[in-house]
Every structure is written in structure tokens, then in C-alpha cells.
């Protein structure tokens, strides 16, 4: 392939059909008799290299997000300490005085902005992506989304603060989290039916639960949507204050729900780190989360970070 003028970078950006054409051209040019396994081996090697590059890029993104989060916490702690000394109350990144509106000094505002700005730079889903970016997404290896976890989906949600009602045709995040509560109730109904029939009861929200929900008229509850945001609900259950802070932050910045969804990953990775990387145990020890499977993408991020620490 090198003699034909192809580099590793060129091969990684080619489609399956283009790779097939290259292999056929190589066989015709050099009269090489490749076995079927060797043909697939070439393609598998290219896919493996793609996965490695994407995992390294994702690791760097996650590390940057974690550093930004640590810096934000340091800034908030410093401001909280200063607020206590001055007799003020610091709430969610703002200092409340005797007036009705929160205020920040210029220096404090700049510090807070610096601490969280990296979140915007690394968000990956956007409602207004260009045609070029969509084309690049189609060319990404299917292995990164075989479980459907990170495939871009359009769902009728907008980022809202706790207690805020959404306007227009979009629904707020309180409504999204309520869907997970409804799934828990549908699971209890399925378990009751199974006990009456003498059948094995599911312990987690499975396809059987989604079918039951649809049968009872709750067609707005579907597997792709609930699997897509389950880690966001996990953060809401495990660290409500952090979840609410992210909601307010992304709402104030006008970010879409896709960017907010991506930002919900790294606090969970930090929770897994604090629990010896037992993300399964973190889910199982929570009454509301134990009925949900740990998202594959979250497992992958935890594995990457754990590997980096052990190396």
C-alpha cells in the first residue's frame, strides 16, 4: 500500500468501499493472492487504529473537562470563603447582597468564566452542525456507536433549571427526569404481572418494560430516548447540586441539550474514581439507579481513565 502512495492517515479516512477498491487494485497490480482472512485483517487493523485514535482524543477531552471542573470548584470555594467573611451568601456562583439581584465583581466574574469555559469547547452535539461535520460523523467507525449510545438523536428537550417550565414544543429537563420515575413504576407493574403468572421477574428496565409502557398508552417512553439520557438522570440522583449547577450553567449560556448531555459524563467518572472505579456498584447502591443498566459509553470512559492511572 505504501508503494501505491497510500499513508496511514489516508487509509483511516477512507470508507469500506474505498478500502475494498484499494485491496483489489493492490492484488491486480502486484499479483498478490490474499486470503479472505487477510482481506478482513487489513480492514480490522484500520478499524482498530481508528478506535485507538478516537479513544486517545476522548481521553484528552475528558482530562480537560476534569481540570476545568476542579478549577471551578476551587474558585467557588474561594468565593464562598470570602462571602462568609463579608457576611454575604454565595449561591451557585453569585453573591447575594441586600438587593434582589445577584451581582459579581469583575474579577470574580472573570474567574468563574475561566473555570467553566472549557465545557463549551468540548461539547460534541449541536443542533446547528454544518453539513461537513455531519459528513464526518457518518464516516466515523460504527464500533463507537454499536450500542446506540452516542449516535446523535433529536429529542424534544431544552435545558431548563429545576422547577422551570419549558416553552413552545420542547420539554424541560424536569419532565425528562420524570420519565425515568415513570419507568420505575412501569417496572413494578411488570414485576407484579410476572409474579401473578409465575414467570421470572425482571430486575431492571428491559424491553419488556418498554413494551408494557407502550401497551398502556405511554408511547412517549421509548428505549432509545431513555438509554440516551440515563447517565444524566444518574447524575441527577447521585449529586443533585452538581446536576442543578450544570443545568443553570448551560441554560444561561444558551447551550443545547446535546452539549449539556455530554457534560454530564465527567462528574460520573469522578464519582467512579472515588469509588475505586466501581461504577456498577455506584448505580446498584442507589435505589433509583439500580434498575438501570450502566451506559456503555460511561463504562468506556471509566476504563480509559483507570488505564491511564495504572500505566
Amino acid at each position: 500500500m505504501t508503494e501505491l502512495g497510500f499513508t496511514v492517515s489516508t487509509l483511516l479516512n477512507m470508507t469500506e468501499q474505498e478500502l475494498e477498491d484499494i485491496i483489489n487494485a493492490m492484488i491486480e497490480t502486484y499479483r498478490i493472492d490474499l486470503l479472505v482472512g487477510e482481506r478482513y485483517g487489513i480492514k480490522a487493523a484500520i478499524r482498530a487504529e481508528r478506535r485507538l485514535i478516537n479513544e486517545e482524543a476522548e481521553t484528552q477531552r475528558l482530562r480537560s473537562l476534569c481540570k476545568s471542573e476542579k478549577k471551578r470548584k476551587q474558585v467557588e470555594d474561594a468565593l464562598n470563603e470570602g462571602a462568609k467573611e463579608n457576611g454575604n451568601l454565595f449561591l451557585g456562583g453569585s453573591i447575594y447582597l441586600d438587593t434582589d439581584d445577584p451581582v459579581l465583581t469583575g474579577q470574580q466574574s472573570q474567574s468563574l468564566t475561566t473555570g467553566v469555559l472549557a465545557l463549551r469547547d468540548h461539547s460534541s452535539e449541536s443542533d446547528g452542525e454544518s453539513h461537513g461535520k455531519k459528513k464526518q460523523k457518518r464516516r466515523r467507525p460504527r464500533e463507537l456507536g454499536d450500542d446506540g449510545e452516542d449516535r446523535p438523536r433529536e429529542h424534544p428537550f431544552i435545558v431548563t433549571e429545576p422547577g422551570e417550565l419549558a416553552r413552545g414544543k420542547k420539554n424541560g429537563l424536569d419532565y425528562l427526569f420524570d420519565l425515568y420515575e415513570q419507568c420505575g413504576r412501569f417496572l413494578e407493574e411488570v414485576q407484579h404481572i410476572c409474579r401473578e403468572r409465575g414467570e421470572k421477574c425482571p430486575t431492571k428496565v428491559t424491553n419488556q418494560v418498554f413494551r408494557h409502557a407502550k401497551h398502556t398508552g405511554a408511547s412517549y417512553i421509548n428505549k432509545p430516548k431513555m438509554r440516551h439520557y440515563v447517565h444524566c438522570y444518574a447524575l441527577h440522583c447521585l449529586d443533585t447540586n452538581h446536576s442543578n449547577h450544570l443545568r443553570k450553567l448551560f441554560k444561561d449560556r444558551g447551550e443545547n441539550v446535546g452539549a449539556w448531555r455530554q457534560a454530564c459524563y465527567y462528574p460520573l467518572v469522578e464519582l467512579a474514581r472515588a469509588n475505586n472505579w466501581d461504577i456498577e456498584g455506584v448505580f446498584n447502591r442507589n435505589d433509583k439507579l439500580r434498575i438501570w443498566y450502566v451506559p456503555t459509553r460511561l463504562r468506556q470512559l471509566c476504563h480509559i481513565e483507570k488505564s491511564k492511572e495504572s500505566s
Side-chain angles (χ1 to χ4, degrees):
M1 288 184 174
T2 302
E3 293 179 4
L4 288 175
F6 294 101
T7 63
V8 174
S9 176
T10 303
L11 294 174
L12 291 177
N13 289 306
M14 286 187 170
T15 63
E16 289 291 320
Q17 184 58 49
E18 289 172 339
L19 288 175
E20 186 67 29
D21 293 339
I22 292 173
I23 293 174
N24 291 333
M26 185 173 61
I27 293 174
E28 294 176 0
T29 302
Y30 296 100
R31 304 299 180 182
I32 301 174
D33 188 15
L34 290 180
L35 299 176
V36 175
E38 292 174 326
R39 281 173 169 263
Y40 282 100
I42 294 173
K43 296 178 181 179
I46 294 174
R47 287 196 294 268
E49 185 66 19
R50 284 174 182 162
R51 283 197 299 271
L52 180 61
I53 292 175
N54 280 295
E55 286 179 358
E56 290 178 351
E58 183 64 27
T59 300
Q60 293 298 324
R61 186 185 73 86
L62 183 63
R63 285 182 179 275
S64 178
L65 290 175
C66 290
K67 289 180 181 179
S68 300
E69 176 63 13
K70 290 178 181 178
K71 187 172 182 180
R72 179 189 67 80
K73 288 183 178 179
Q74 292 174 355
V75 171
E76 285 191 356
D77 291 341
L79 291 177
N80 271 323
E81 188 65 27
K84 290 178 181 177
E85 293 177 358
N86 296 327
N88 299 325
L89 178 62
F90 178 78
L91 294 174
S94 299
I95 297 179
Y96 287 78
L97 303 175
D98 294 332
T99 60
D100 294 333
D101 299 323
V103 296
L104 282 175
T105 65
Q107 184 177 2
Q108 292 166 340
S109 177
Q110 183 178 3
S111 299
L112 285 176
T113 304
T114 303
V116 297
L117 188 58
L119 290 171
R120 186 171 191 174
D121 293 338
H122 296 282
S123 61
S124 62
E125 292 187 358
S126 171
D127 291 336
E129 295 182 48
S130 65
H131 175 73
K133 289 185 179 179
K134 290 181 179 179
K135 187 174 182 180
Q136 290 177 0
K137 285 186 176 181
R138 288 197 297 269
R139 287 188 175 184
R140 287 189 302 178
R142 294 181 60 85
E143 287 78 8
L144 293 178
D146 284 342
D147 63 338
E149 176 61 22
D150 267 356
R151 287 179 295 174
R153 300 180 184 278
E154 291 296 331
H155 291 304
F157 299 111
I158 59 173
V159 180
T160 56
E161 296 183 49
E164 178 186 2
L165 294 177
R167 295 179 294 275
K169 297 182 179 180
K170 300 285 187 177
N171 293 311
L173 299 184
D174 285 344
Y175 172 78
L176 171 63
F177 294 152
D178 183 66
L179 295 183
Y180 290 93
E181 306 289 336
Q182 292 184 44
C183 286
R185 293 191 287 270
F186 282 125
L187 173 60
E188 293 176 355
E189 293 178 7
V190 171
Q191 290 174 336
H192 179 71
I193 294 173
C194 290
R195 291 191 190 98
E196 289 184 340
R197 296 176 179 176
E199 300 174 353
K200 183 178 179 181
C201 294
T203 58
K204 294 184 181 293
V205 178
T206 61
N207 291 339
Q208 185 178 2
V209 176
F210 292 119
R211 287 195 296 268
H212 174 72
K214 184 177 181 180
H215 179 73
T216 58
S219 57
Y220 51 86
I221 292 180
N222 59 75
K223 179 179 177 180
K225 178 166 59 181
M226 304 313 295
R227 291 279 190 253
H228 198 61
Y229 296 100
V230 68
H231 70 285
C232 304
Y233 177 66
L235 180 61
H236 170 73
C237 295
L238 295 169
D239 192 346
T240 305
N241 290 334
H242 198 150
S243 175
N244 291 344
H245 173 78
L246 279 182
R247 291 173 62 175
K248 184 178 187 306
L249 174 66
F250 278 73
K251 191 246 183 178
D252 290 344
R253 282 168 36 194
E255 294 280 5
N256 60 61
V257 72
W260 165 79
R261 174 185 173 274
Q262 290 296 325
C264 288
Y265 275 118
Y266 69 88
L268 295 175
V269 174
E270 290 301 307
L271 282 174
R273 188 196 307 274
N275 288 270
N276 198 27
W277 299 110
D278 184 19
I279 189 64
E280 187 80 35
V282 172
F283 270 58
N284 289 335
R285 285 189 290 271
N286 186 281
D287 292 336
K288 293 184 177 181
L289 291 182
R290 66 180 54 176
I291 64 174
W292 294 97
Y293 292 103
V294 178
T296 302
R297 188 58 184 156
L298 180 56
R299 289 181 187 273
Q300 292 173 341
L301 293 175
C302 291
H303 176 72
I304 291 172
E305 282 300 293
K306 182 180 179 182
S307 299
K308 291 293 184 181
E309 284 192 354
S310 59
S311 60

